[in-house]
């Protein structure tokens, strides 16, 4: 899981009383409690911007207990910054998964508003490295609405890697992706 904690990450999009950070944390908690393998077979990592804002950091690494994953997501409180080092974060995610060869389904889910991806990512290099490692890229587009530009930006990631994107105005909107991960996790890669 990669969290694009950019300057808009702490915005309130609606009257729910939850900002985007809260919705991502609630969504990851839903995944942990309802979709993560209870026998500990799933290993989930969360990548966020590091403290300097220039690189990637693991908020959680290869967690296999649902409570530990939910606790990490709920405890994350990003500093208000500008753009995130998203290229470094996505490369760290691909490299981390490419180094693991346990035969289980692997995927990267990016939580993002999608608006700045065309200025943050080297799409070609990122997609090629994900394809070489057979890692599909998925995206959950944050915000009350998802513009055509935001959807096109995430499409440049998920389409060539056989991933998917969903618009996630509320935490439960990512459930179709989590269900897909759960189904794929039950079989060999």
């Amino acid at each position: 899981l990669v969290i694009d904690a950019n300057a808009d990450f702490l915005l309130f999009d609606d009257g729910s009383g939850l900002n985007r950070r809260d919705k991502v944390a609630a969504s990851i908690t839903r995944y942990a409690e309802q979709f993560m393998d209870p026998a500990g077979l799933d290993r989930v990592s969360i990548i966020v911007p590091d403290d300097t804002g220039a690189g990637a950091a693991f908020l959680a690494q290869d967690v296999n207990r649902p409570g530990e994953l939910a606790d990490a997501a709920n405890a994350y409180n990003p500093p208000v910054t500008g753009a995130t080092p998203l290229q470094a974060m996505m490369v760290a995610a691909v490299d981390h998964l490419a180094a693991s060869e346990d035969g289980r389904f692997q995927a990267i889910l990016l939580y993002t508003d999608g608006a700045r991806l065309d200025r943050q990512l080297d799409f070609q290099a990122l997609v090629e490295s994900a394809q070489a490692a057979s890692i599909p890229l998925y995206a959950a587009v944050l915000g009350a609405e998802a513009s055509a530009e935001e959807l096109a930006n995430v499409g440049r990631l998920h389409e060539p890697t056989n991933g998917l994107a969903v618009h996630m105005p509320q935490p439960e909107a990512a459930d179709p992706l989590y269900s897909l991960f759960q189904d794929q996790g039950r079989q060999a890669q």
Side-chain angles (χ1 to χ4, degrees):
L1 309 176
V2 177
I3 300 175
D4 182 6
N6 61 37
D8 294 338
F9 194 58
L10 299 177
L11 286 180
F12 292 86
D13 295 314
D14 55 33
S16 69
L18 300 175
N19 62 22
R20 292 177 182 183
R21 188 219 72 86
D22 298 334
K23 291 176 183 181
V24 169
S27 187
I28 292 172
T29 298
R30 286 178 64 81
Y31 168 72
E33 293 174 350
Q34 298 177 28
F35 298 93
M36 199 168 165
D37 184 82
L41 295 177
D42 293 337
R43 289 191 330 245
V44 183
S45 299
I46 302 174
I47 297 177
V48 297
D50 67 12
D51 291 338
T52 69
F58 281 90
L59 183 64
Q61 188 169 355
D62 295 329
V63 171
N64 64 356
R65 294 192 325 265
E68 187 178 341
L69 183 67
D71 290 347
N74 285 309
Y76 181 54
N77 192 19
V80 178
T81 61
T84 57
L86 199 52
Q87 181 73 22
M89 294 163 58
M90 292 295 288
V91 167
V94 170
D95 290 349
H96 181 67
L97 290 180
S100 173
E101 295 187 20
D102 65 359
R104 291 188 43 84
F105 175 74
Q106 300 183 93
I108 294 171
L109 172 54
L110 171 63
Y111 298 93
T112 183
D113 60 17
R116 300 167 187 87
L117 297 185
D118 57 335
R119 296 182 300 276
Q120 291 177 283
L121 296 177
D122 178 348
F123 286 103
Q124 183 174 346
L126 188 57
V127 164
E128 286 175 1
S129 64
Q131 289 172 328
S134 299
I135 299 170
L137 303 177
Y138 295 84
V141 180
L142 308 176
E145 296 182 19
S147 73
E149 177 189 357
E150 293 165 346
L151 294 173
N153 282 341
V154 297
R156 292 176 65 186
L157 290 174
H158 76 80
E159 289 170 3
T161 63
N162 295 319
L164 295 170
V166 296
H167 174 222
M168 194 182 102
Q170 298 301 325
E172 63 275 4
D175 286 0
L177 296 180
Y178 301 149
S179 181
L180 176 76
F181 298 164
Q182 183 182 50
D183 291 345
Q184 293 296 323
R186 293 184 179 134
Q187 58 189 344
Q189 186 173 0

